Amino acid sequence: MQQISNYYKALQNAMSQICSHFHSHEGAFLCFILAAMNLLWGHDMLQCLFKRPGNGSPPCDRESRVRCTQLIMLSLPANWAFRGGVRCWRHRAVLRGALKAPDVNGVRRYSTPIRGGVAGMEDILARVVAPLPTYETRDKYPPPPESNSLEFMHFYAGLEKEEKLGFLTKLSHDFGVDHKGISELALRLLDAQLRALATILQVEDRLLYGLTPRYKQLLNHISRVEGGVKFLVDLRADVLEMISSKASETPQIRDLNGTLKSLLSEWFSVGLLRLERITWQSPCDILQRISQYEAVHPVRNWTDLKRRVGPYRRCYAFTHATMPGEPLVVLHVALTEDISDNIQSIVREFATLDSEEDVNKVNAAIFYSISSTQAGLQGVELGNYLIKRVVRELQSEFPHMAQFSSLSPIPGFSSWLQGLLGQCKKEGRGSDLLSEQEWEQVEQAVDSAPGPAAIEALRKLIATGEWTRSERLTRVLEPVLMRLCAWYLYGEKRRDYALNPVANFHLQNGATMWRLNWSADTSPRGVANSCGIMVNYRYYLNETSKNSALYLQNKVISASEQLVGLVSQFQKSSKL
């Protein structure tokens, strides 16, 4: 018992003496580690290492410190064994950072609170978010140290999801725009309207400068450190998730999102992006990312991936200098004789891997998959520029090529249709969707009573995809689903633009809604999302600018005769 008591006292003394040199929120844990080191290496040895002038006793001389350090290095195996027993990886990371921290007056200091609560958040934000310089000194104000950006990044990376929400809320609320100062500048601008133009311009410039959120300086400085731009891309992804999940919809969070989007749009402008063609000879890590990021038609294995970058196929990606080896948006292209009407012929039916391309068989380029890899770049124009760049690249390689088209999925169609059938059942309006003859065919095929029972049976068939197993039911539903799908793409709107996000993307680029294709994607995913239907958006290069302007300015959709005909059939047979 006496021995245990002595060890306890030694531990207590070590903690009290060593902790006085540390002021971070991890002090308690760090002191525990150092106290354990004290038991392993000896109390006097640690005292020698951490003594400073002014603490009541003279410091050890340099030679003693070196000797103690050598002895500790010899005991590292015991140290590693102790650290290996610590289960929490985050605390081990803290210790590693602490041991690497620079010496200040002979003492190692580290201040990166991982779970510091509100007080820790306030402390780090007050330290790393510099005050906005005055208008007069804005060009003469020295930049903050790089350590501020690194400390912010390290702190944020250690937070849990709920803590990140609180942290970003505090950042956007307490370090945004000075609204009181802006009001005063706005009044000054009104007073200056009768004065000289030079005075008005100066006041306007002051007002514009005052509208800069205080945290924007920090974001700019973070972008200049290694890995900073990628960190901000991921940070915006977190902000977007908070907004979409309704976790936080405050005006300040939305303003933070807008600031991040504006900065990222500048940093990822098309002139700063590099177009890369991905081949089987590309670095393995790039190929692996291409496979992982494929969101439209998942890659099954390495053989599948090899075919998608092999003969009669092209894969292109935009990359950025600040994120080496990280594709930002990826476009897969099939080189075909005619415009493809099904995805099976592209991703499931291949010639041999070693076949050589016959230029005479390459008349069309089919964009069958485009995937954005970074959630934080949502809303930043990348995909449309990638398609335009790839078109120029392919025209250079195949001067005779004149057909450019997508083969696109229709996500959301099945969900929309199930909702519509549920509403019609509730309101007793089944005749608004199908004709009386069509309902009779459906009732016979599913052996159902007429009315609500038949509507519910059809809704369940769409939800489960069971209808595809019946040739009779497939034949009955083809004309029904084709005209309903045409209306969904052409007639269903959000703010007068196409409701379907893929349609909206291609129409903004100036494509024409060209052809609906039945049984174009027979995979379970294709049937579940769009009843197996796919659509071609065709790019007539001499009309894309005009089509894009008509759609964006006047909400006019360019569509082929087939699409317009199906929409007309829907309008005649439907009372919606």
Side-chain angles (χ1 to χ4, degrees):
M1 290 298 293
Q2 182 63 38
Q3 187 178 6
I4 294 174
S5 176
N6 291 339
Y7 269 96
Y8 177 77
K9 289 179 180 178
L11 180 64
Q12 197 173 34
N13 290 335
M15 290 181 67
S16 62
Q17 293 185 32
I18 296 171
C19 285
S20 64
H21 299 289
F22 293 86
H23 307 286
S24 72
H25 291 273
E26 280 73 39
F29 175 77
L30 191 56
C31 289
F32 173 75
I33 295 295
L34 292 172
M37 291 163 61
N38 172 72
L39 296 180
L40 289 171
W41 299 328
H43 182 62
D44 295 337
M45 190 184 301
L46 284 182
Q47 277 191 327
C48 175
L49 282 178
F50 286 96
K51 279 181 181 178
R52 292 185 299 170
N55 65 354
S57 59
C60 295
D61 56 29
R62 184 176 182 276
E63 184 176 336
S64 298
R65 284 174 178 266
V66 171
R67 186 169 61 255
C68 290
T69 302
Q70 290 172 341
L71 288 171
I72 290 175
M73 292 301 291
L74 291 174
S75 301
L76 275 179
N79 179 30
W80 292 123
F82 178 82
R83 288 173 63 173
V86 180
R87 294 183 179 181
C88 179
W89 66 268
R90 184 174 296 155
H91 288 172
R92 292 203 299 271
V94 170
L95 179 59
R96 283 196 297 270
L99 296 175
K100 293 178 182 178
D103 286 349
V104 181
N105 295 328
V107 181
R108 293 189 183 275
R109 296 180 184 270
Y110 190 75
S111 181
T112 305
I114 296 299
R115 304 295 293 272
V118 175
M121 294 178 183
E122 291 176 347
D123 176 61
I124 193 169
L125 289 175
R127 202 163 54 248
V128 303
V129 185
L132 192 68
T134 63
Y135 179 79
E136 289 75 16
T137 63
R138 65 192 185 282
D139 296 327
K140 303 175 183 178
Y141 205 79
E146 187 177 283
S147 59
N148 282 12
S149 299
L150 295 174
E151 187 174 9
F152 180 92
M153 293 165 64
H154 188 79
F155 179 90
Y156 184 81
L159 296 177
E160 300 294 342
K161 185 176 181 180
E162 296 77 11
E163 294 171 323
K164 288 180 178 180
L165 172 60
F167 185 66
L168 293 177
T169 300
K170 182 167 285 294
L171 173 69
S172 61
H173 186 273
D174 296 350
F175 299 89
V177 174
D178 178 8
H179 299 291
K180 182 179 178 182
I182 288 298
S183 299
E184 294 173 356
L185 286 170
L187 291 174
R188 288 178 61 183
L189 181 60
L190 289 174
D191 294 338
Q193 293 304 305
L194 300 178
R195 304 181 68 179
L197 178 60
T199 303
I200 295 175
L201 291 176
Q202 186 183 51
V203 177
E204 288 177 343
D205 195 44
R206 282 178 177 271
L207 181 60
L208 183 63
Y209 179 72
L211 287 168
T212 303
R214 184 175 161 187
Y215 55 72
K216 187 175 181 181
Q217 287 189 113
L218 174 65
L219 302 180
N220 274 314
H221 289 298
I222 288 175
S223 71
R224 297 168 191 168
V225 303
E226 185 177 355
V229 172
K230 172 61 174 170
F231 171 83
L232 293 176
V233 170
D234 294 338
L235 180 71
R236 182 167 182 254
D238 290 343
V239 173
L240 288 171
E241 184 182 355
M242 292 172 189
I243 294 173
S244 63
S245 65
K246 310 295 184 182
S248 178
E249 292 186 287
T250 64
Q252 291 88 354
I253 283 288
R254 291 190 174 276
D255 191 56
L256 174 61
N257 176 51
T259 301
L260 282 166
K261 180 183 177 182
S262 177
L263 290 172
L264 293 172
S265 296
E266 293 178 11
W267 299 331
F268 289 88
S269 64
V270 66
L272 301 177
L273 301 176
R274 179 186 175 192
L275 179 68
E276 290 191 29
R277 179 183 169 189
I278 310 300
T279 68
W280 191 241
Q281 284 69 43
S282 297
C284 185
D285 59 335
I286 291 285
L287 288 169
Q288 186 174 7
R289 287 191 176 96
I290 294 295
S291 174
Q292 291 172 344
Y293 287 140
E294 174 54 35
V296 184
H297 305 291
V299 178
R300 296 186 295 277
N301 48 48
W302 281 101
T303 301
D304 188 8
L305 178 62
K306 185 175 182 179
R307 286 166 171 161
R308 296 195 193 193
V309 297
Y312 297 104
R313 299 292 180 267
R314 296 292 184 272
C315 179
Y316 296 94
F318 267 151
T319 59
H320 195 274
T322 61
M323 296 169 60
E326 187 72 56
L328 306 177
V329 57
V330 182
L331 178 66
H332 288 273
V333 186
L335 305 178
T336 61
E337 290 189 71
D338 298 302
I339 296 178
S340 303
D341 62 0
N342 71 87
I343 196 63
Q344 291 82 232
S345 63
I346 293 177
V347 301
R348 297 189 184 92
E349 300 169 10
F350 294 95
T352 61
L353 291 176
D354 299 325
S355 63
E356 295 291 331
E357 290 180 353
D358 183 352
V359 176
N360 296 321
K361 294 182 179 180
V362 178
N363 300 317
I366 311 301
F367 313 128
Y368 67 92
S369 173
I370 183 166
S371 301
S372 178
T373 68
Q374 307 295 318
L377 293 178
Q378 178 182 320
V380 178
E381 298 285 344
L382 293 178
N384 56 347
Y385 290 120
L386 179 58
I387 288 178
K388 292 173 183 177
R389 287 282 299 276
V390 167
V391 166
R392 292 200 297 268
E393 195 81 7
L394 292 173
Q395 282 182 315
S396 175
E397 187 177 359
F398 304 100
H400 64 285
M401 185 182 290
Q403 299 181 89
F404 298 91
S405 172
S406 78
L407 180 61
S408 301
I410 312 172
F413 170 60
S414 293
S415 299
W416 170 83
L417 181 55
Q418 290 172 52
L420 190 61
L421 287 168
Q423 183 180 352
C424 288
K425 175 191 172 185
K426 182 178 179 180
E427 300 174 359
R429 299 188 296 109
S431 60
D432 289 352
L433 290 181
L434 279 66
S435 67
E436 184 176 342
Q437 181 181 1
E438 287 170 337
W439 275 122
E440 289 178 358
Q441 292 176 323
V442 169
E443 290 159 8
Q444 292 174 5
V446 300
D447 191 22
S448 169
I455 297 176
E456 179 61 17
L458 180 57
R459 192 191 67 78
K460 286 183 178 179
L461 286 172
I462 298 298
T464 60
E466 290 293 325
W467 61 274
T468 58
R469 300 182 182 182
S470 168
E471 184 177 344
R472 178 185 178 188
L473 197 54
T474 300
R475 188 170 57 253
V476 169
L477 291 180
E478 178 178 353
V480 175
L481 294 177
M482 287 287 278
R483 70 169 183 261
L484 285 168
C485 187
W487 175 257
Y488 168 72
L489 291 173
Y490 187 91
E492 289 295 319
K493 303 292 179 64
R494 175 183 292 146
R495 298 174 184 171
D496 293 328
Y497 293 107
L499 174 66
N500 182 265
V502 178
N504 188 52
F505 170 78
H506 287 290
L507 293 172
Q508 285 187 27
N509 293 345
T512 296
M513 197 177 287
W514 189 62
R515 185 176 66 192
L516 274 188
N517 304 293
W518 180 252
S519 294
D521 186 357
T522 56
S523 68
R525 182 175 181 175
V527 173
N529 287 339
S530 59
C531 301
I533 305 172
M534 299 187 77
V535 57
N536 296 114
Y537 297 99
R538 187 162 178 181
Y539 285 80
Y540 296 100
L541 302 184
N542 58 342
E543 297 180 6
T544 53
S545 297
K546 180 188 70 175
N547 291 343
S548 177
L550 284 172
Y551 180 70
L552 291 172
Q553 297 171 13
N554 303 321
K555 286 78 176 178
V556 175
I557 294 178
S558 173
S560 67
E561 290 184 5
Q562 185 221 24
L563 264 296
V564 173
L566 288 170
V567 170
S568 298
Q569 291 177 28
F570 173 86
Q571 291 174 324
K572 289 178 182 177
S573 62
S574 171
K575 300 174 184 177
L576 294 178

